[in-house]
Amino acid sequence: MNFKQLEYFAAAAEEGSISGASRVLHVAQPPISRQLALLEDELGVTLFLRNNKGVELTEAGRRLYEHSRQMFQSLRAMADSVR
């Protein structure tokens, strides 16, 4: 798991779609999809339920999202503290 995968994951969760994450992050959709698949493979869980309207977090996805949100908040606080 790496920071970029978590950034892509959080954006897809917040936007409710991979295409929405693509627009927000200014990254093509295929690399985001690929990194999310690698993240799911590494963790051994399904993070999203995919449907024709976008994506919805699974229980594992909700847990990862909460942890990643806390991590991003901590990173922002760390940067603010250093500045």
Side-chain angles (χ1 to χ4, degrees):
M1 175 181 338
N2 63 52
F3 184 80
K4 186 63 65 181
Q5 288 172 327
L6 288 175
E7 181 182 25
Y8 290 175
F9 165 76
E14 290 166 3
E15 294 299 314
S17 73
I18 294 170
S19 60
S22 174
R23 283 190 302 276
V24 168
L25 297 171
H26 307 288
V27 175
Q29 189 172 341
I32 293 175
S33 295
R34 178 70 182 137
Q35 290 302 312
L36 293 177
L38 289 171
L39 181 59
E40 287 179 322
D41 285 347
E42 180 179 339
L43 295 173
V45 297
T46 300
L47 298 170
F48 294 106
L49 298 174
R50 291 151 175 89
N51 58 50
N52 58 354
K53 295 180 183 179
V55 294
E56 182 181 330
L57 290 173
T58 62
E59 180 59 32
R62 283 190 289 278
R63 289 180 186 191
L64 181 61
Y65 179 70
E66 285 304 315
H67 286 290
S68 65
R69 233 182 61 177
Q70 291 170 7
M71 183 197 69
F72 289 129
Q73 288 172 347
S74 293
L75 286 171
R76 282 190 295 276
M78 178 180 61
D80 290 345
S81 174
V82 170
R83 286 187 193 116

